[in-house]
Amino acid sequence: MARFRHTVTLTPVPRRWLESCVAALHDLAEGTDVEGARLRLPDGRPVPGLALLGGRHLGPGARYRPLREEDGEPDTDQCLTVVSWDRRRETALEVVTVDGDPDRRSHLVCALGLTSAERPREAWLSATLRTNGGKRAKHLGGTGCLHLDLGRWWQSTGHGRHPSRAPLSGTLTHPLARVAVTVEPRPAPDGRWRVTVRARLKGRSVARPLLPLATAVLGRRARRACAEALDRAAAAWNAQVPELVRKDGERLGAELADALLGP
């Protein structure tokens, strides 16, 4: 087993601000009208490049597809499906992307959800990649999942009693390896978040006996690369978040609506 640990310092995100953003995103989606298959924003502007092709708007089973630029027809390789939409209970979506390459056909399914929009408590994300074509195709797929307990997160960033489990955890499973990750924040003296990322790597199948050798040869370089990647991500976060949190949910919703319309 290989282990990794690294800590970064992040600009905090206020709880009320996050909750207002979640509410604004739901307001934007629920205020969007449907004319035939086309969508219109609450102010009447049409949403280009997206169409409702099945079900009732935002109802369970509603299916949306992007429209191809060249002919305006639905792209059959991509589909977004509403699994559930209830502000008091759960919002969940599924996105399917298919790569029709005849030599290596792939099928990616991503699911994301939130409980609940009125007072967010949990969020999760999962992804499954399957490939077909050739004996090596099975080694190109895998699964991943993330789970965020927002109650534990806010508890961890406060100055009271800390929860016994990390609020953010995830796994990445490949036919040859499995990675388990936990993310745990703590309050820094200056009010920011000190966020510690821990990872454990286990070999699977024929890779299990090779993991100690790979760790001995490449472990230090891999740990350095992971630490540098986290430092870059933290720098980007700290550069962008202060400006974002100065905007309220309504303003961010309006900017998202403008972004949906393109240039």
Side-chain angles (χ1 to χ4, degrees), residues 241-259:
V241 166
E243 182 179 355
L244 284 176
V245 298
R246 286 194 291 267
K247 304 175 182 179
D248 57 23
E250 183 177 351
R251 182 178 176 187
L252 286 172
E255 292 183 358
L256 176 60
D258 291 337

Side-chain angles (χ1 to χ4, degrees), residues 97 104-109 128-132 137 140-143:
T97 303
R104 189 175 296 167
R105 185 177 178 85
S106 63
H107 189 264
L108 176 64
V109 180
T128 300
L129 175 64
R130 296 187 178 91
T131 59
N132 298 313
L140 300 177
T143 62

Side-chain angles (χ1 to χ4, degrees), residues 55-62 81-85:
R56 177 177 55 85
H57 178 50
L58 297 183
T81 302
V82 176
V83 179
S84 60
W85 192 280

Side-chain angles (χ1 to χ4, degrees), residues 25-132:
L25 291 175
H26 279 71
D27 290 341
L28 177 62
E30 292 168 4
T32 300
D33 292 325
V34 180
E35 294 181 358
R38 303 307 296 268
L39 305 176
R40 288 188 177 274
L41 294 173
D43 59 11
R45 292 178 294 174
V47 179
L50 187 65
L52 172 65
L53 296 183
R56 177 177 55 85
H57 178 50
L58 297 183
R63 301 190 311 279
Y64 304 83
R65 291 187 186 275
L67 302 177
R68 295 192 296 258
E69 293 184 3
E70 57 270 22
D71 56 13
E73 292 297 315
D75 186 349
T76 58
D77 290 339
Q78 300 181 61
C79 182
L80 183 150
T81 302
V82 176
V83 179
S84 60
W85 192 280
D86 187 328
R87 294 179 72 126
R88 291 178 297 177
R89 296 181 180 179
E90 177 185 270
T91 301
L93 307 172
E94 181 185 79
V95 181
V96 177
T97 303
V98 177
D99 184 349
D101 186 336
D103 296 327
R104 189 175 296 167
R105 185 177 178 85
S106 63
H107 189 264
L108 176 64
V109 180
C110 297
L112 61 158
L114 175 72
T115 308
S116 66
E118 292 189 350
R119 188 168 180 81
R121 299 190 303 274
E122 293 180 287
W124 65 92
L125 170 68
S126 67
T128 300
L129 175 64
R130 296 187 178 91
T131 59
N132 298 313

